[in-house]
Amino acid sequence: MLLYHGSNVEVSNPKILESDRRLDFGKGFYLTSSYKQAKRWAELTVKRRGTGKEIVSVFEFDNSNTSDLNILRFTQAQKEWLEYVTMNRKNQTIPSDNYDVVIGPVANDRTMPVISLYFAGIYDIEETIKRLMPQKLCDQYTFRTDKSIKKIRFLEVK
């Protein structure tokens, strides 16, 4: 399957970088199956960093050969997904979080107002999920270990 990474530079040799940013699925190398979403990430990265140009790096992921990987998959915005994202966004330790790859919806610009109200205690978990369900959320694939990074192959930039 093809996956895309949006940035302000070409990424042909992905690495897991330590970051002070609190991301949905913690530290890792983030990809999406949506070219449009990756292009948007590239635009935001150029704006945020004020340098480079919008580049989408294309990777191939052989998801038929993953039996040796510990994969956590969220099929939709659900209670477990929201709890996992919340703990990562708040930089809290997640017990038994030894996943090589985490796959699921992305908490993006459209969802963050709802999630922020959840963080503030204004919405409970049921109300938050109810408000997120109608949104068509793009996916994200987070490769969190060197073992998982070896499962993707750089193809080209667009």
Side-chain angles (χ1 to χ4, degrees), residues 54-77:
E54 299 163 11
I55 296 177
V56 175
S57 299
V58 183
F59 292 85
E60 182 178 50
F61 174 45
D62 181 4
N63 59 349
S64 68
N65 182 21
T66 59
S67 61
D68 61 329
L69 296 178
N70 188 7
I71 299 176
L72 175 61
R73 181 183 302 268
F74 299 103
T75 57
Q76 62 185 356

Side-chain angles (χ1 to χ4, degrees), residues 1-6 30-42 56-59 104 106 108 110 136-141 158:
M1 82 182 307
L2 293 181
L3 296 175
Y4 307 95
H5 178 82
Y30 282 73
L31 297 155
T32 180
S33 65
S34 167
Y35 176 81
K36 184 177 176 181
Q37 177 70 23
K39 183 76 171 153
R40 175 84 176 120
W41 284 342
V56 175
S57 299
V58 183
F59 292 85
V106 61
N108 60 19
R110 292 187 325 257
K136 294 200 183 288
L137 304 178
C138 288
D139 62 18
Q140 58 189 338
Y141 288 68
K158 290 189 174 196

